[in-house]
Amino acid sequence: IFFRAHRFYRLMSLAVAFLLACGLFMSVGALTLHQLDAADWDMNAGRPSLALKKHTFVGFQARGCGACQKMAPLYEEIAERWSDTEEPLEMAQIDVSPKTPRVTIKILHKIMGLPRMGFFPCDACATGPIWMKWGRPGEAKEHGPFNKTDDDMAPWNSEKDCDLTPLWSSDPTPVGTCIEEWIRKQITNLHMSCSCGTPQDRDEL
């Protein structure tokens, strides 16, 4: 009986080790949705530190912003889908709620409405952030306030990159698809004139 129990526990240990190894292998290279803090932002350069070597998409959010909470899972899904690509991209989000150290970042970028999505090109591209234009049609305002923050108004845009109306439906997938295509478009446009990487990498290009 002792021998059988010993053998059983040994097999279980090997199985657990195998599963852990598989999980570690699958996680290597996966694109992570970074949760940024004030220390992760270069206030002088006006960008997240992640953008030094890679293009960085940032979703700005705040506590009490219902739309922001709906966006978070979409960002995670995009990050997961891009984990198998070799594109120089980082995905991140940051809480810029009032009375937090991070609200200075909101002030720096003059963000008046949330959620707000920005694309920060890598250092080699030497260009400022690209802001996504979004909004909901006028008739969609019946869905209620877009957040409960100190912002005065939502950035309703007549010419918008993405329509956030589906966030208030049972299927917000179209919003995530639009954001992902918008990110892809920015990378494609930037790669026509610049390439990310370390200074040494760029010298070799």
Side-chain angles (χ1 to χ4, degrees):
I1 295 176
F2 173 79
F3 175 76
R4 290 180 179 177
H6 178 72
R7 184 179 181 184
F8 172 78
Y9 285 116
R10 183 181 180 186
L11 290 173
M12 287 295 292
S13 298
L14 289 173
V16 171
F18 175 76
L19 291 174
L20 289 174
C22 288
L24 179 61
F25 175 77
M26 292 177 65
S27 65
V28 172
L31 188 62
T32 302
L33 180 62
H34 300 275
Q35 303 295 328
L36 302 183
D37 207 341
D40 302 314
W41 210 270
D42 186 333
M43 298 297 286
N44 293 322
R47 67 182 181 197
S49 300
L50 289 171
L52 179 62
K53 295 182 179 180
K54 293 185 178 183
H55 302 311
T56 303
F57 172 88
V58 180
F60 295 82
Q61 61 179 358
R63 294 188 298 272
C65 171
C68 299
Q69 308 313 315
K70 293 175 182 288
M71 299 292 284
L74 300 179
Y75 299 152
E76 292 174 353
E77 291 173 6
I78 295 173
E80 183 177 351
R81 283 194 292 271
W82 281 65
S83 62
D84 294 329
T85 72
E86 296 182 357
E87 294 289 356
L89 175 69
E90 296 284 7
M91 292 285 296
Q93 62 182 7
I94 184 168
D95 185 331
V96 290
S97 297
K99 299 181 180 180
T100 69
R102 297 174 298 279
V103 75
T104 57
I105 298 171
K106 177 182 174 183
I107 296 171
L108 173 68
H109 293 289
K110 300 179 181 179
I111 296 174
M112 299 300 295
L114 295 170
R116 187 77 159 131
M117 285 77 78
F119 187 91
F120 295 80
C122 67
D123 182 57
C125 292
T127 186
I130 303 167
W131 299 100
M132 174 182 285
K133 295 181 294 183
W134 66 265
R136 290 185 289 170
E139 62 271 18
K141 294 183 181 180
E142 64 188 30
H143 290 290
F146 75 105
N147 66 24
K148 297 179 181 178
T149 67
D150 292 340
D151 298 313
D152 298 323
M153 63 178 65
W156 310 121
N157 292 296
S158 57
E159 297 181 4
K160 52 186 173 292
D161 296 308
C162 289
D163 181 7
L164 300 193
T165 304
L167 284 179
W168 286 266
S169 70
S170 58
D171 182 18
T173 304
V175 177
T177 301
C178 185
I179 293 174
E180 186 171 0
E181 288 304 313
W182 183 81
I183 292 173
R184 194 184 309 277
K185 178 182 177 181
Q186 309 318 312
I187 293 176
T188 300
N189 291 342
L190 286 166
H191 282 189
M192 293 180 181
S193 58
C194 58
S195 298
C196 299
T198 63
Q200 181 178 357
D201 294 335
R202 296 196 295 271
D203 291 341
E204 295 174 354
L205 294 177

